[in-house]
Amino acid sequence: MKKILSLLVLLFCVYTANAQSHISKSEYARYNCKFAPKGSNNAEGKLMCPACAKEREDTRKKKIADDKAQDDANRIKNEKLKAENAVAFKKKQAEIAERNKVTEVYVTMGKTKGVAPEKKAETPVKKAPAKPTKDVLFFANYPGSMSMSGNRLNYFLNENGDTVLKSKDYYSTFGAFSDNKYNFPKNVGIVVFNEENTLTNGKTRKIVDFVDAKGKRLFNDNSISTIFHLKDDYFVIGRSKDFGEDSSWGYNYRRIQEVDIYNTKTKKTITLDKDRRNVEIYVAFDHRKLEDQGLKPMLMRRYSNYDEDVYCLNDAGEMIVKRFASGR
């Protein structure tokens, strides 16, 4: 019992010491202090007392510092992942080149009676692009985020390393990669075309679209400037008609005007509402510990007031949205 009383006395002393730094007397009518009695002399809308204002400013600065630390950690993780993907991609390209290499064999014949006519050497035949089968898993540059710093390929490969689709109109291609851990779907690939769309501010953006195994475009919408894979059949589609987008590392997109989450299997679309003129999105990391709830974070959407929506997949493969207030 004595321990409990001692603890209560200690807490009261701490509270009293903290309150003394505030404007805790009601006669200071111009201040709004959390320690002062509420009423006409301490009503909402009055000036915040200096100590309260400092606490609020310290909280705001801490939130900014925490966000910056999280962004720095995400950047380091993204750069490491990008480097690992680049190494794996080069390794796969080397394996494909080795399989496609033409080996010439020369045979020395023994002497025979008479002189045989000289046989012309056979010209090595170049391997033509393989004909697409019914179900094709497109392998290309990078699987998810549209990293423009990667290798610019104008073709797709199948699982055997055969070229299945190639075009001079392609600026870059995106499909499955390495072990395809995010389950990039079959019979679809992402193409960044050489063709550009002129925005209302006079700038240009390259046109992006899905293509099937025969190279046929899915949307034929020249306003699409961003498509990247999330997981399974879910993709992000971005359209910016008036101004260029701001992306970093291929994982953060801060100035897309219109954003949809599109399912290539069900053909259903989730449209993200605008915040002012654009939508700010990030490829999500589990800083909210959502995997403990059986959810896999895929995409984080941040609002101008720093509220966040995190789009997750549950065990059934359904898209679930979790809303978090910033506390600012």
Side-chain angles (χ1 to χ4, degrees), residues 15-195:
Y15 179 86
T16 303
N18 190 35
Q20 286 175 352
S21 64
H22 291 254
I23 306 299
S24 56
K25 295 182 178 181
S26 61
E27 59 263 25
Y28 291 93
R30 63 194 180 93
Y31 287 118
N32 176 17
C33 176
K34 64 182 180 181
F35 288 98
K38 300 299 176 185
S40 61
N41 287 340
N42 192 42
E44 293 294 333
K46 296 292 181 70
L47 294 175
M48 185 174 292
C49 90
C52 286
K54 184 178 184 304
E55 284 187 11
R56 182 173 182 179
E57 179 64 13
D58 290 344
T59 301
R60 186 186 71 83
K61 289 181 178 180
K62 184 179 183 302
K63 180 67 168 60
I64 293 173
D66 291 343
D67 287 347
K68 184 179 184 302
Q70 183 63 50
D71 287 343
D72 290 342
N74 290 347
R75 176 178 57 78
I76 293 171
K77 184 174 181 179
N78 293 339
E79 290 176 348
K80 182 180 178 182
L81 178 62
K82 181 179 175 181
E84 290 174 353
N85 283 347
V87 171
F89 180 76
K90 289 181 180 179
K91 182 179 178 181
K92 185 173 183 65
Q93 290 294 92
E95 292 173 354
I96 293 169
E98 186 66 26
R99 286 200 302 267
N100 292 341
K101 188 183 294 182
V102 178
T103 304
E104 296 184 6
V105 180
Y106 296 90
V107 180
T108 303
M109 303 295 294
K111 292 182 179 180
T112 56
K113 294 180 180 179
V115 179
E118 198 174 298
K119 188 176 182 180
K120 293 183 178 179
E122 293 184 3
T123 304
V125 179
K126 290 185 178 180
K127 195 171 185 180
K131 292 183 179 180
T133 57
K134 184 178 180 181
D135 291 313
V136 180
L137 179 59
F138 285 152
F139 283 84
N141 200 345
Y142 289 98
S145 302
M146 298 187 66
S147 175
M148 292 303 181
S149 61
N151 295 325
R152 294 172 183 170
L153 307 180
N154 67 339
Y155 58 87
F156 288 98
L157 305 174
N158 63 14
E159 295 176 84
N160 298 321
D162 301 318
T163 301
V164 292
L165 196 61
K166 183 174 182 179
S167 174
K168 60 181 177 56
D169 296 326
Y170 297 170
Y171 175 83
S172 190
T173 56
F174 296 84
F177 185 83
S178 188
D179 58 357
N180 196 26
K181 61 182 178 180
Y182 293 110
N183 297 323
F184 199 98
K186 291 187 175 182
N187 302 320
V188 65
I190 304 170
V191 171
V192 180
F193 292 91
N194 288 314
E195 185 181 358

Side-chain angles (χ1 to χ4, degrees), residues 239-243 256-259 271-280 301-304:
R239 297 173 174 86
S240 292
K241 303 174 184 178
D242 298 325
F243 46 83
I256 302 182
Q257 284 177 274
E258 299 176 9
V259 176
T271 299
L272 279 62
D273 59 301
K274 287 187 179 181
D275 181 26
R276 297 181 181 176
R277 292 200 306 162
N278 54 64
V279 180
E280 179 178 331
R301 186 264 172 83
R302 181 174 290 170
Y303 293 83
S304 57

Side-chain angles (χ1 to χ4, degrees), residues 168-299:
K168 60 181 177 56
D169 296 326
Y170 297 170
Y171 175 83
S172 190
T173 56
F174 296 84
F177 185 83
S178 188
D179 58 357
N180 196 26
K181 61 182 178 180
Y182 293 110
N183 297 323
F184 199 98
K186 291 187 175 182
N187 302 320
V188 65
I190 304 170
V191 171
V192 180
F193 292 91
N194 288 314
E195 185 181 358
E196 295 183 336
N197 177 41
T198 302
L199 309 179
T200 57
N201 64 1
K203 295 183 178 180
T204 59
R205 292 282 298 177
K206 291 190 181 299
I207 296 169
V208 184
D209 206 342
F210 291 109
V211 293
D212 63 13
K214 295 182 179 179
K216 182 180 178 182
R217 289 176 58 177
L218 176 62
F219 286 110
N220 275 316
D221 183 350
N222 289 350
S223 67
I224 297 177
S225 50
T226 296
I227 298 178
F228 60 86
H229 184 223
L230 288 178
K231 192 175 187 299
D232 301 334
D233 299 296
Y234 288 99
F235 290 81
V236 172
I237 299 176
R239 297 173 174 86
S240 292
K241 303 174 184 178
D242 298 325
F243 46 83
E245 297 161 8
D246 175 20
S247 64
S248 59
W249 318 305
Y251 289 86
N252 304 334
Y253 300 86
R254 298 189 177 92
R255 281 164 51 86
I256 302 182
Q257 284 177 274
E258 299 176 9
V259 176
D260 293 330
I261 299 176
Y262 179 74
N263 189 299
T264 56
K265 184 176 182 180
T266 64
K267 312 300 182 186
K268 292 183 178 179
T269 300
I270 301 172
T271 299
L272 279 62
D273 59 301
K274 287 187 179 181
D275 181 26
R276 297 181 181 176
R277 292 200 306 162
N278 54 64
V279 180
E280 179 178 331
I281 56 176
Y282 301 81
V283 176
F285 294 92
D286 194 19
H287 67 292
R288 299 289 186 179
K289 307 300 181 185
L290 293 170
E291 290 193 356
D292 295 342
Q293 304 175 31
L295 300 174
K296 176 65 177 174
M298 291 285 104
L299 191 74

